[in-house]
Amino acid sequence: MKKSLLLAIAFSSLVAAPALATDLAIPRKAPVYVPPPPPPPTWSSCYIGGEGGGLWANRNWIDNDLGSPFFGESFGSQTVSSWLAGIQAGCDWQFSGPWVVGIQADYDWSNAKASNANLILVPGDLIDESRIKSVGSATVRLGYSWDSFLGYVKGGAAWEHDEFTIFDASTFSATGVNPRYGWTVGVGGEYLFTPWLSGFIEYDYYGFSNRDFTFFLVDGLHSVDMHENKNVAKAGLNFRFSNWWGRY
């Protein structure tokens, strides 16, 4: 009995030995390191950049002289349009997942100009001309991000620097220059190319309160009420910095 058991063990060892040798001969691969996925992009940062585009505005000159027989009537209307270019700066904070809130200020220069023949004061002899020299805003914006893309809306205060002139064909002219204050709302999209560079496109609507201007003309003082609304389309780049609590 013992001899039979020993023979069975010996036989099993002989059968298993080649298989074991085969396993030992196969080289084992080292484990492959798989780096963790990169963290999702964050919009939490401050930035500064440049922008450019175009603006167009509709203006109506209204006679505002209380004793005038033309009180409330229009001197004429204009469509003022041109390029604009400027700078912007702000800070964003990404909170509650994809939501982003931020503040922004921008300032743009322009040379928009338009004119029309005055329809009331010496018709055909006087020209009304208006220029938009600059426009700016200070706004709050709220956005929703899809990784590197941010869609947003914005709104806040706005101002512009205007120049209004009434002149004739010879040497006479009367000019009024004044800042105007109002409000603005807008919508846009911004794409994060790298953690430090983003690009955007945007549309803004500006509403300015009516503003009275007094002109010293040859026949005396004339008060004019300016009605206006303005549209701006622009695109630009923002150079972004690490945010205020140290994430990059």
Side-chain angles (χ1 to χ4, degrees), residues 14 35 37 55 60 77 80 82 107 112 129 131 137 140 148 155 196 198 206 211 218 221 223-224 226 240:
L14 291 174
L55 67 81
N60 200 4
S77 60
V80 188
S82 182
Y107 189 87
E129 181 181 271
R131 296 173 181 263
S137 68
V140 174
S148 296
W196 54 269
S198 61
Y206 292 81
R211 187 65 179 270
V218 291
L221 298 177
S223 177
V224 179
M226 301 293 180
R240 294 181 166 269

Side-chain angles (χ1 to χ4, degrees), residues 43 64 66 87 92-94 100 107 132-133 143 167 178 182 192 209 219-220 235 241:
W43 288 91
N64 200 40
L66 293 177
I87 57 176
D92 290 325
W93 175 46
Q94 187 166 352
V100 178
Y107 189 87
I132 301 174
K133 309 296 285 186
F167 61 92
N178 229 325
L192 201 62
S209 58
D219 60 343
F241 312 100

Side-chain angles (χ1 to χ4, degrees), residues 76-92:
S77 60
Q78 303 164 348
T79 299
V80 188
S81 61
S82 182
W83 56 268
L84 84 166
I87 57 176
Q88 76 280 343
C91 289
D92 290 325

Side-chain angles (χ1 to χ4, degrees), residues 25-197:
I26 298 176
R28 302 222 176 161
K29 293 183 178 179
V32 178
Y33 173 73
V34 179
T42 177
W43 288 91
S44 295
S45 64
C46 293
Y47 58 87
I48 187 170
E51 59 188 24
L55 67 81
W56 59 101
N58 297 314
R59 284 183 165 166
N60 200 4
W61 298 48
I62 305 296
D63 188 339
N64 200 40
D65 288 329
L66 293 177
S68 170
F70 306 106
F71 177 77
E73 295 189 25
S74 174
F75 286 0
S77 60
Q78 303 164 348
T79 299
V80 188
S81 61
S82 182
W83 56 268
L84 84 166
I87 57 176
Q88 76 280 343
C91 289
D92 290 325
W93 175 46
Q94 187 166 352
F95 69 102
S96 185
W99 291 98
V100 178
V101 66
I103 56 174
Q104 185 186 77
D106 58 50
Y107 189 87
D108 293 287
W109 294 267
S110 179
N111 191 31
K113 179 176 70 172
S115 61
N116 65 273
N118 193 298
L119 302 179
I120 296 178
L121 302 177
V122 196
D125 291 338
L126 292 180
I127 302 296
D128 302 332
E129 181 181 271
S130 63
R131 296 173 181 263
I132 301 174
K133 309 296 285 186
S134 60
V135 62
S137 68
T139 56
V140 174
R141 69 177 190 170
L142 176 66
Y144 189 92
S145 65
W146 292 267
D147 292 331
S148 296
F149 178 78
L150 176 70
Y152 61 87
V153 294
K154 60 184 290 189
W159 60 91
E160 69 174 348
H161 183 77
D162 292 331
E163 184 177 285
F164 302 98
T165 304
I166 298 178
F167 61 92
D168 64 13
S170 57
T171 58
F172 169 78
S173 68
T175 299
V177 179
N178 229 325
R180 286 163 63 94
Y181 301 96
W183 53 270
T184 181
V185 292
V187 60
E190 189 166 1
Y191 189 80
L192 201 62
F193 299 110
T194 71
W196 54 269
L197 180 65

